[in-house]
Amino acid sequence: MKLLDGKICAESLVADISKRVAGYVESGLRKPHMTVILVGEHAPSETYVKSKIKSCENAGFDSALLRFPESITESELLAAIAEINADPVTDGLIVQLPVPKHIKPQNIINAIDPEKDIDGFHPTNFGRMTLGQKAFRPATAYGICKLLQYYEIPVKGKHCVVIGRSNIVGKPISIMLSNDFDIGNATVTLAHIETPRALLLDETRRADIIVVAVGIPGFVTEDMVKDGVVMIDVGINRLENGKLVGDVDFENVSRKCSWITPVPGGVGKMTVAALMINTLMAYQNNFDLA
Ligand code: NAP
C-alpha cells in the first residue's frame, strides 16, 4: 500500500503557482486576490478558512477574510456578495459553508459572480463542467483529479465507484471521472443512500477506484473492496476522542489497497490546492493571460 499524500502534492502545486505569480508581479501586475466570507462561529469552518488563507500566502496571493455574525439576514449577506462581485480587486470569492440555517445555501451560491466562483458551485460553472467546457471545477473533486494525476494513477477505462452524491463532492467527481477530461474517461457508478446494500457491495468489490464521501466514520470496510483498489477517502469526521478520521476503516482497508489517501493529509489538502488553481485561473481570465 502506498499513500496518496495530499500534503506533498498540494505543496508542489502551490509552489508552481507561486512561481507563476512572482513572474506576473515582476511584470508589473498586482497579485491574485481571494476573498473569503465566514458567517457565524463554526469550529471546522474556522480551521478550513485558516488553511485557505495560509495557502494564499504560500501561493503569493493577497487575501481578505470578511466575518459576519450568525444573525446576519440572507438579504444582508446577498448585499455583501454583490459588493464583492463588483470589486475589481477580488479575483475569487468563497462563502464558507455551512451558512446558518435561516439562510438558503443555494441562494448564496447562485449570487456569486460565476467569474469569481472559485469553489465551482455556481450552476453556470457546474453546468459548464458537466458539458466539458472551460469552468471553475468544484474544488474537492478537482483536487482529487489533481492528486490522481500527480501520482500517475491510471483512470481511463477503469471502473470507479463514487459513494455519496452531494452537489459539492459526490456528484461532481462522478461527472468529472466519467467525462472526456485529462483525468477522466472512467466508467463510473454513483451510489447513495437508496443504493441497496447488496448492489453497493457488488459494485465496490469490483471497483478499481473508490471515492467515498458520506461523512460516516469507518463506512468502507475491508470486505467491501478487492485487492489493489485505489481508495480516495473524502470524509472528515471528528470522533468523540477528538481524533479526525475519514469514511474508510483505514487500518484494515489499507492492507488491500494499492493506493489510499490518509485523513488528515489527503483530499482536504487537495481541496485547498484546487482553490488556488481556480483563483489563479480567475486572475488570468481578468488579465487575459494565457
Ligand atoms: P453530504 O452532503 O452529507 O452528503 C453525503 C452523501 O452520502 C449523500 O449523498 C448521502 O446520500 C450519502 N450517504 C449517506 N449515507 C449513505 C449510505 N449509508 N450509503 C450510501 N450513501 C450514503 O456530505 P458531503 O458534503 O458530500 O461530505 C461528505 C464527507 O466529506 C463529510 O465527512 C465531509 O466533512 C467531507 N468533506 C471533505 C472535504 C475535503 O476537502 N476533504 C470536502 C467536503 C466534504 P443522500 O443524497 O441520499 O442523502
Side-chain angles (χ1 to χ4, degrees):
M1 175 276 289
K2 291 184 227 160
L3 280 185
L4 290 163
D5 191 321
K7 186 166 185 287
I8 290 175
C9 178
E11 281 173 2
S12 156
L13 290 171
V14 171
D16 283 349
I17 291 172
S18 76
K19 278 186 209 142
R20 299 188 75 166
V21 170
Y24 293 140
V25 171
E26 249 174 55
S27 73
L29 296 175
R30 66 162 172 80
K31 294 177 175 184
H33 184 111
M34 175 193 281
T35 297
V36 184
I37 290 182
L38 182 58
V39 182
E41 284 168 27
H42 181 250
S45 293
E46 291 282 346
T47 310
Y48 300 144
V49 165
K50 209 169 138 193
S51 110
K52 288 167 190 174
I53 301 283
K54 178 80 195 139
S55 192
C56 282
E57 272 172 40
N58 295 339
F61 299 173
D62 284 331
S63 63
L65 171 58
L66 303 182
R67 288 176 178 273
F68 294 101
E70 182 96 13
S71 58
I72 190 171
T73 64
E74 187 173 295
S75 54
E76 286 167 339
L77 186 55
L78 291 173
I81 291 170
E83 213 171 289
I84 299 161
N85 282 343
D87 169 22
V89 168
T90 291
D91 300 295
L93 168 61
I94 296 171
V95 179
Q96 184 66 42
L97 299 176
V99 284
K101 288 205 166 58
H102 62 276
I103 298 174
K104 285 203 180 77
Q106 199 58 52
N107 290 348
I108 300 307
I109 290 166
N110 291 355
I112 295 173
D113 178 352
E115 301 301 321
K116 297 186 191 233
D117 169 41
I118 51 172
D119 258 328
F121 296 160
H122 190 283
T124 297
N125 282 308
F126 205 98
R128 292 178 64 87
M129 177 278 292
T130 301
L131 295 170
Q133 299 175 7
K134 187 178 175 191
F136 296 112
R137 299 185 195 178
T140 299
Y142 194 22
I144 292 170
C145 292
K146 284 286 173 191
L147 188 62
L148 292 167
Q149 187 176 41
Y150 182 82
Y151 283 97
E152 298 178 356
I153 308 293
V155 174
K156 186 176 171 179
K158 298 295 176 186
H159 175 216
C160 299
V161 173
V162 176
I163 316 174
R165 61 177 166 189
S166 72
N167 288 343
I168 64 166
V169 188
K171 207 173 285 169
I173 190 65
S174 69
I175 295 166
M176 287 166 70
L177 290 176
S178 59
N179 260 356
D180 182 9
F181 283 163
D182 37 1
I183 297 298
N185 288 301
T187 300
V188 180
T189 300
L190 179 60
H192 47 76
I193 204 144
E194 300 295 348
T195 305
R197 180 75 188 167
L199 179 56
L200 178 68
L201 291 180
D202 274 354
E203 291 291 324
T204 57
R205 282 177 180 158
R206 60 191 179 91
D208 303 307
I209 300 173
I210 297 177
V211 179
V212 57
V214 293
I216 302 172
F219 181 83
V220 176
T221 48
E222 197 182 354
D223 59 313
M224 290 174 71
V225 306
K226 72 176 183 187
D227 283 327
V229 67
V230 175
M231 181 63 63
I232 309 292
D233 189 352
V234 183
I236 302 179
N237 309 294
R238 178 82 60 186
L239 300 182
E240 274 180 13
N241 63 11
K243 201 178 164 205
L244 215 54
V245 297
D247 289 346
V248 176
D249 171 10
F250 186 91
E251 192 184 338
N252 296 306
V253 174
S254 61
R255 286 197 285 257
K256 294 178 84 173
C257 297
S258 53
W259 295 89
I260 185 168
T261 55
V263 178
V267 176
K269 297 280 180 202
M270 293 308 301
T271 298
V272 180
L275 284 173
M276 301 301 125
I277 298 172
N278 280 348
T279 306
L280 183 69
M281 188 168 107
Y283 169 85
Q284 289 170 327
N285 291 345
N286 280 341
F287 288 97
D288 278 334
L289 302 164

